Amino acid sequence: MTSGQGPQTQSERAFVDYCGERFGILAGRRFWIGREADLSVDDNPYLHRRFLLLHNVNGLWWLSNRGAHLSASVSAGDVGFSAVLGPGARMPLVFGHTTIVFTAGPTTYEVDVHTVSPQVDAVTAPEVVGGMITQGVPMLTESQKLLIVVLAEEILRRDGTGASAIPSSAQAAGRLGWSLTKFNRKLDNVCDKLDQLGVSGMRAGGGKLASNRRAKLVEYAVASRIVTRGDLPLIDEEAARNASG
């Protein structure tokens, strides 16, 4: 894909590399990645027709997730940066070479974006702006949402808390006043539901539920704003109900 417009400035030059094929992208035009887009990665019914958007604003390239339920993992190996871009969120591409990985149904895709690093002060991580669009996941029951909130509790309370803060199933069940059997059954149900939507990390090889699915579930739910800090009071309310019962 080549440009028919005038020369671009240094900061506006960029291209996308997918499976060895290079697509030049223009600063004055939007470039879509999806099932039916400027870069049509695959005829996959689990993949949005227009999923990811690359666009240039004042010389800075941005990546936006315009999907309804898929997230994308964004990394820049040279600087050790990684993040999850949830539905409705966007982030600036400031590292020169950025790798984007996303899963739709049973298939995982990898796209490389090459831009010229802008002349900006050093940063530890680009800002990820959470989107407010309606989430494209099935309606969760009250207990299913509670399960996710209790797993994400420490991460929601303290920005920057890592995956090590995610409680074990036994700890989370005890926090809510549930039996471990009840908790694990509902965890399986939630992971099954998200797996059917194409969310990665819910299952391991052979169709078995992944051992690290709690971390993947929290990562996706927080990035996609399925749960927010405003949901935290639900935990104590549920614990109080079970304590009094």
Side-chain angles (χ1 to χ4, degrees):
M1 186 176 296
T2 59
S3 168
Q5 299 182 0
Q8 297 176 307
T9 64
Q10 181 77 355
S11 64
E12 294 171 336
R13 295 174 187 167
F15 67 90
V16 175
D17 190 335
Y18 177 65
C19 293
E21 186 174 3
R22 180 177 294 191
F23 299 80
I25 52 180
L26 304 177
R29 294 181 57 186
R30 294 186 168 198
F31 185 90
W32 290 92
I33 299 171
R35 189 170 85 239
E36 298 175 6
D38 298 300
L39 171 54
S40 299
V41 297
D42 192 8
D43 185 18
N44 181 343
Y46 293 99
L47 179 63
H48 299 297
R49 288 181 174 85
R50 289 189 168 190
F51 173 38
L52 299 174
L53 172 64
L54 289 162
H55 57 111
N56 189 289
V57 179
N58 298 324
L60 182 63
W61 286 97
W62 287 81
L63 174 68
S64 299
N65 183 342
R66 297 299 181 88
H69 60 260
L70 297 180
S71 293
S73 297
V74 183
S75 63
D78 291 344
V79 295
F81 169 82
S82 64
V84 175
L85 192 70
R90 67 171 186 164
M91 63 180 291
L93 302 181
V94 298
F95 301 113
H97 177 200
T98 305
T99 298
I100 306 167
V101 178
F102 53 92
T103 299
T107 309
T108 298
Y109 305 92
E110 180 173 321
V111 176
D112 291 306
V113 180
H114 297 262
T115 62
V116 175
S117 300
Q119 298 300 315
V120 295
D121 294 334
V123 295
T124 55
E127 178 184 3
V128 178
V129 181
M132 297 300 292
I133 64 172
T134 302
Q135 303 304 320
V137 297
M139 182 68 67
L140 294 173
T141 66
E142 180 182 349
S143 59
Q144 288 173 338
K145 185 166 185 175
L146 271 167
L147 178 142
I148 299 175
V149 174
V150 76
L151 288 175
E153 181 178 10
E154 291 304 313
I155 291 177
L156 291 173
R157 289 192 189 281
R158 295 196 296 270
D159 292 335
T161 301
S164 60
I166 297 174
S168 66
S169 293
Q171 290 170 332
R175 179 81 171 88
L176 294 172
W178 292 359
S179 69
L180 181 58
T181 299
K182 175 180 178 178
F183 183 91
N184 284 332
R185 184 176 67 250
K186 292 188 179 297
L187 176 61
D188 290 347
N189 291 339
V190 171
C191 291
D192 277 335
K193 185 175 292 187
L194 294 181
D195 177 69
Q196 291 171 13
L197 283 173
V199 178
S200 63
M202 298 298 104
R203 290 191 175 278
K208 297 181 180 179
L209 289 169
S211 59
N212 64 339
R213 63 189 185 276
R214 287 180 296 108
K216 290 292 185 180
L217 174 59
V218 169
E219 179 182 73
Y220 173 77
V222 172
S224 303
R225 298 181 63 84
I226 293 174
V227 296
T228 67
R229 191 169 296 179
D231 294 317
L232 288 171
L234 297 174
I235 299 174
D236 290 332
E237 292 170 7
E238 176 69 8
R241 279 194 297 269
N242 291 322
S244 61

